[in-house]
Every structure is written in C-alpha cells, then in structure tokens.
C-alpha cells in the first residue's frame, strides 16, 4: 500500500468531509494524502476578464481549506495539494490510476430526499477501474468539517451476488476491515418472482431455498476467512432486495462496499441498480469497486 490516498475537492462541505475521511484512510494505510482540485476554467475570454486570476486564488483557497481541515485531525500526516487543469472527471480518473484509493464527496439533499452525487463524481466512477469511495457530509449541526466519524469498530458491509464474479469486492472489504479492526458483514439478498406478494409464499421460499444459499455463501467465503484469520466475519443471505438490505445494514457500518461491472463494448460503463441506489441513499461512505 505505497500509493497515496487521493481526495478530490470542489469547495463543497462534502468535499471537505471527503478529504478528512481520506486522511484517516491514509493514516490507516500508512501512506501520504493527496488533495486534488480539477480546474476546467480556461480560454482567452476568461483571461481577459480577469476572472481567471480570481478563480486561481479561489482554487488555492479551497485547497488550503481542505488541507487545514486535514491538519486539525491528523497533524503529522504528510499531505500534498495539486491544482490541475482539465475536465474534472478525466483529471480525477487520471489521479485514481496513480492512487491506492480515490475519495470524493457526495452532496446531501436531506434525509427524506436522499442525496445526489454530482455529475462529476458519477462520470469519474464510470471512467475509472480503480476503487472510489464516496463520502457524504454530516447534516448534524455538531458535525466537525462534515466528516462522519468512524467511532468504535463496527462493520464493513459488502454486498455480493453469488451468480457473478465478486472476488475484488471481498478483497477490498476484508483489507479494509483488517486495517480498521472491523467486522466484515457479507450480504447476499435474493428474491423469487417479483409478482409474488403473498407472505406465506415468501416464507416457504426462504425455508426451501435459504439453507442451500447460506451454504453456498459460506463455501464462497472460505478463501477470505483463510487469508484474513483475524477478521471477524458475519454472513447473511436473507430473502429481500439487495439494495434495501444494504441500506439497512449501513446504519451500523463504517463502510459499504458495492460493485460496478466493467464493460468493454459499445454500451460503455455500467452502474447497476443496487450500486446506483447505494450511491444516492447510503448515509455511510460507499466504496465502488470495478469488476469484470
């Protein structure tokens, strides 16, 4: 883990929260922190108006603000600030390729309305195959710098689909839990025909199919239990929508890990419905891991 943890900032409270969270992650990994601002303002009209110089000062100020927030929490952490020109999603994807982890802020719209990840963040996730963590700012008035505190050891929650390739998700989740001293909670949510609404049918399905699915999950987790013997593991395979189950588990989580399939064809990037739901509604930091 020699590559830095990188935080992308844009002047929003969520970005400061992301920088502080990224700093904690850098401390855990024993690496440096890099704070990056992507400046897409350019062109002769902007330069003539004098606003280019003003924006340059603004960018320097926001980088300084993020660095100061980090220093207050982690005064001994080595931190580097970068201001780069270019489209933010391209700049951040380029930075992600050099980093061990890219951390971005998620902008909140309130608990009842969920929250909207900015278009830059979504575009960055779509074009990078490296791990990206999304951190939302706290909405409580006592929140320091908007950062969600890790607190005592809790869960690193990871959602898997037993019918798809999920090794990168478990690799990331177990490594994070090992660093944090957390438990790994592995969730596999499944369902029967969506038209079924009868409770008795759902109970019968869980009674008939649940034990075999639980055994499959236990068997699938054996390699990670062997590789990470010190990490406590819990596994659940209840009937129910994966997104709903992950959101429920997020209440006691330091981190929620979900996947994004990498597409090489003309359809481009694919962000599945479960990951999409977690990105927009999860209160805990969300790690999006690209996989085949």
């Amino acid at each position: 883990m020699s590559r830095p943890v990188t935080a992308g900032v844009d002047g929003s409270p969520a970005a400061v929260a992301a920088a502080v969270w990224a700093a904690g992650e850098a401390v855990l990994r024993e690496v440096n922190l890099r704070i990056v601002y992507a400046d897409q303002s350019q062109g002769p009209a902007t330069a003539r108006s004098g606003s280019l110089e003003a924006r340059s000062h603004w960018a320097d100020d926001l980088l300084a603000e993020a660095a100061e927030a980090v220093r207050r929490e982690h005064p001994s952490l080595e931190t580097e600030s970068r201001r780069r020109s270019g489209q933010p999603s391209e700049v951040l994807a380029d930075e992600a390729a050099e980093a061990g982890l890219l951390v971005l802020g998620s902008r909140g719209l309130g608990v009842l309305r969920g929250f909207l990840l900015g278009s830059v963040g979504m575009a960055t996730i779509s074009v990078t195959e490296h791990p990206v963590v999304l951190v939302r700012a706290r909405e409580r008035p006592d929140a320091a710098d908007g950062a969600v505190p890790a607190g005592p050891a809790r869960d690193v929650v990871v959602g898997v689909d037993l019918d798809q390739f999920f090794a990168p998700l478990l690799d990331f989740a177990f490594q994070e839990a090992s660093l944090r001293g957390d438990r790994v909670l592995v969730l596999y949510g499944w369902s029967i025909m969506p038209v079924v609404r009868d409770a008795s049918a759902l109970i019968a399905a869980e009674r008939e199919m649940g034990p075999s699915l639980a055994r499959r999950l236990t068997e699938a987790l054996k390699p990670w239990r062997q590789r990470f013997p010190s990490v406590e593991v819990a596994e659940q395979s209840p009937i129910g929508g994966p997104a709903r189950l992950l959101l429920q588990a997020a209440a006691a989580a330091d981190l929620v890990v979900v996947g994004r399939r990498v597409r090489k064809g003309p359809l481009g990037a694919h962000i599945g419905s479960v990951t999409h739901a977690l990105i927009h509604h999860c209160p805990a930091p969300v790690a999006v891991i690209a996989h085949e």
Side-chain angles (χ1 to χ4, degrees):
M1 292 186 181
S2 59
R3 295 190 294 172
V5 173
T6 296
V9 298
D10 62 0
S12 67
V16 176
V20 173
W21 191 94
E25 184 72 15
V27 170
L28 289 174
R29 295 176 175 226
E30 299 182 340
V31 298
N32 299 340
L33 174 68
R34 181 178 294 166
I35 304 173
V36 177
Y37 171 68
D39 189 351
Q40 60 181 333
S41 63
Q42 47 186 297
T46 304
R48 284 196 303 270
S49 68
S51 61
L52 185 60
E53 182 178 358
R55 186 167 182 84
S56 177
H57 287 307
W58 179 84
D60 290 341
D61 287 345
L62 75 87
L63 284 168
E65 177 190 3
E68 177 59 28
V70 166
R71 278 193 293 271
R72 287 197 297 269
E73 297 291 329
H74 304 282
S76 62
L77 177 64
E78 187 171 338
T79 303
E80 171 194 2
S81 295
R82 283 186 176 185
R83 180 159 62 91
R84 294 184 50 182
S85 297
Q87 289 294 328
S89 60
E90 296 175 4
V91 169
L92 292 171
D94 185 52
E95 290 288 341
E98 298 182 11
L101 186 68
L102 176 66
V103 184
L104 303 175
S106 295
R107 294 172 179 164
L109 294 179
V111 175
L112 295 179
R113 297 172 62 192
F115 68 96
L116 174 67
L117 177 71
S119 59
V120 169
M122 188 66 79
T124 303
I125 292 170
S126 299
V127 297
T128 182
E129 297 182 12
H130 297 84
V132 179
V133 174
L134 311 169
V135 178
R136 71 178 298 179
R138 278 193 295 183
E139 295 167 353
R140 296 194 304 272
D142 62 336
D145 296 315
V148 178
R154 302 200 298 174
D155 287 338
V156 173
V157 178
V158 55
V160 300
D161 184 342
L162 292 177
D163 297 320
Q164 294 188 15
F165 182 62
F166 51 77
L169 280 72
L170 291 180
D171 287 344
F172 186 88
F174 273 80
Q175 288 165 2
E176 282 293 314
S178 179
L179 289 171
R180 296 168 177 274
D182 282 0
R183 180 181 74 163
V184 172
L185 172 58
V186 185
L187 280 175
Y188 170 54
W190 57 280
S191 61
I192 54 178
M193 294 297 291
V195 295
V196 176
R197 294 289 187 268
D198 183 70
S200 61
L202 295 175
I203 293 172
E206 189 159 24
R207 183 172 59 247
E208 294 173 9
M209 302 171 61
S212 63
L213 292 173
R215 287 192 294 272
R216 281 183 62 193
L217 182 57
T218 297
E219 187 67 24
L221 292 177
K222 281 185 177 179
W224 285 271
R225 289 182 184 271
Q226 293 170 355
R227 285 171 53 196
F228 298 90
S230 64
V231 174
E232 182 183 355
V233 184
E235 55 191 87
Q236 297 177 11
S237 53
I239 192 168
R244 178 179 61 82
L245 294 170
L246 288 167
L247 287 171
Q248 289 175 347
D254 279 337
L255 184 66
V256 178
V257 183
V258 292
R260 176 186 76 78
R261 292 188 64 185
V262 176
R263 281 182 168 168
K264 303 295 186 181
L267 293 178
H270 174 72
I271 298 176
S273 59
V274 173
T275 296
H276 211 276
L278 269 292
I279 285 173
H280 288 318
H281 299 290
C282 185
V286 177
V288 181
I289 310 300
H291 63 92
E292 297 294 339

